[in-house]
Amino acid sequence: MSLLELENVSKSYRIGRRVSLAVEDITLGIDPGEIVGLVGESGSGKSTLARLALRLLLPDSGEIRFAGRNLAGLGGAELASFRRRVQIVFQDPLAALNPRATVRRLIEEPLRLHRIVPPGEIEAEIRRLMELAGLPAAYAERRPRQISGGERQRVAVLRALACRPEILVCDEPVAALDVSVRAQILNLLLALKRSTGLGILFISHDLAVVRRIADRLTVMHRGRIVERGPSETVWQAPTHPYTQALLAAVPLGEPGAGRRRRSSQPTAIA
Ligand SMILES: Nc1ncnc2c1ncn2[C@@H]1O[C@H](COP(=O)(O)OP(=O)(O)OP(=O)(O)O)[C@@H](O)[C@H]1O
Ligand SMILES: [Mg+2]
């Protein structure tokens, strides 16, 4: 049993009379201290799965459990506790952060909302968190538009971390960042996993990024999981044609790719 688990979960969207199945029969678990990478092309159902895991959507069938409790049945104090213990970081921090709030206020909000520390310790906790993410203390007075994209994403991560979550869902957290800034965020997530035992569901369409950070890889294609396994195994010896095609799309010069080209061409995507 995993801390966060999805069991045979399906979800479809209805637009007018049309029904499209976005997530189909997914079973997946995330434990403290591990990073599970979820890769797949645009439209494969990754964000839908993230929203289900956060109980922003309810599944049509199947069950999602946190600490053994079905999310569909949570209410009151239990739901509030779940809302603290499972956090999300989105791709676009500019959209996710209130543009008028200073960095201090953005971090202070969740600290107060969930009463993480006594009021007298809030200032020190903000400083501690900013230091953890390598943000200069003076940035506390800046607003989202007055810092760089990478710094903004670090603030978004800190807002989530302020809640002292057990699971963090990252939906394309570095897709909008350039390579060097991307590495800073990935290193921060890896350090957090090691120091706090945070479990992370890391979603990306970029297999090379996910491989760097994830302990296990899960590949989605058209709403279904088509491959899963330890990152290195999937990377070195992908079995599904779709995974092989994803790997073939990784540029040869990708830093840290370190994988020999296979001579055989990937078969066409089904
Ligand atoms: N609110 C919605 N209403 C109707 N259809 C939706 C909705 N959200 C997503 N879909 C559809 O569900 C499918 C899965 O979408 P989803 O956003 O989960 O994919 P994704 O893997 O996150 O893609 P991307 O990499 O582009 O973010 C797509 O076909 C999408 O068009
Ligand atoms: Mg998405």
Side-chain angles (χ1 to χ4, degrees):
M1 196 181 89
S2 292
L3 180 58
L4 178 65
E5 52 191 359
L6 293 88
E7 191 182 342
N8 305 117
V9 170
S10 295
K11 177 70 190 176
S12 54
Y13 293 108
R14 195 175 297 271
I15 310 161
R17 284 192 185 165
R18 286 196 31 232
V19 175
S20 76
L21 193 54
V23 159
E24 193 177 352
D25 198 24
I26 298 277
T27 296
L28 182 70
I30 303 145
D31 272 309
E34 72 167 348
I35 302 185
V36 176
L38 183 67
V39 260
E41 68 192 342
S42 184
S44 56
K46 305 181 300 293
S47 294
T48 302
L49 193 145
R51 290 162 69 197
L52 287 162
L54 289 151
R55 201 195 187 263
L56 300 173
L57 281 177
L58 288 173
D60 298 334
S61 59
E63 217 174 274
I64 305 166
R65 289 180 293 269
F66 181 75
R69 301 276 291 142
N70 187 347
L71 296 190
L74 294 186
E78 267 191 328
L79 182 58
S81 160
F82 171 78
R83 291 262 173 260
R84 179 190 70 73
R85 295 165 76 186
V86 182
Q87 293 291 319
I88 182 148
V89 173
F90 292 104
Q91 171 175 349
D92 179 6
L94 254 195
L97 301 174
N98 174 359
R100 281 180 295 276
T102 58
V103 169
R104 164 178 286 108
R105 216 186 93 202
L106 288 166
I107 303 173
E108 183 179 341
E109 255 170 21
L111 290 175
R112 284 193 192 278
L113 176 69
H114 297 290
R115 299 196 173 87
I116 304 292
V117 292
E121 292 170 25
I122 284 179
E123 240 347 273
E125 181 66 4
I126 293 171
R127 271 202 308 277
R128 185 186 75 84
L129 285 164
M130 289 182 65
E131 208 166 290
L132 188 72
L135 290 172
Y139 281 29
E141 310 314 323
R142 299 206 190 179
R143 290 167 219 281
R145 278 184 213 287
Q146 298 168 328
I147 55 180
S148 75
E151 289 160 354
R152 270 199 294 268
Q153 193 57 298
R154 278 184 269 168
V155 172
V157 172
L158 288 187
R159 239 172 99 80
L161 282 185
C163 302
R164 302 198 182 161
E166 286 150 68
I167 299 282
L168 184 64
V169 177
C170 298
D171 191 355
E172 301 271 9
V174 298
L177 305 175
D178 74 36
V179 176
S180 64
V181 181
R182 188 176 281 191
Q184 290 172 2
I185 302 283
L186 297 181
N187 288 338
L188 175 61
L189 293 176
L190 277 171
L192 288 167
K193 175 189 96 155
R194 294 195 189 110
S195 63
T196 69
L198 185 66
I200 302 177
L201 177 63
F202 188 96
I203 298 175
S204 173
H205 58 270
D206 187 335
L207 195 50
V209 166
V210 179
R211 180 231 182 186
R212 272 200 53 201
I213 190 171
D215 302 295
R216 292 193 285 131
L217 273 179
T218 306
V219 181
M220 271 182 89
H221 182 50
R222 297 189 177 171
R224 303 190 68 107
I225 291 179
V226 295
E227 182 144 3
R228 66 169 95 218
S231 291
E232 278 313 297
T233 311
V234 173
W235 180 263
Q236 298 291 342
T239 57
H240 193 276
Y242 177 67
T243 316
Q244 292 168 358
L246 266 185
L247 275 170
V250 174
L252 276 169
E254 185 73 37
R259 178 179 170 275
R260 281 232 217 101
R261 278 301 100 175
R262 335 190 100 219
S263 48
S264 62
Q265 282 299 303
T267 34
I269 301 169

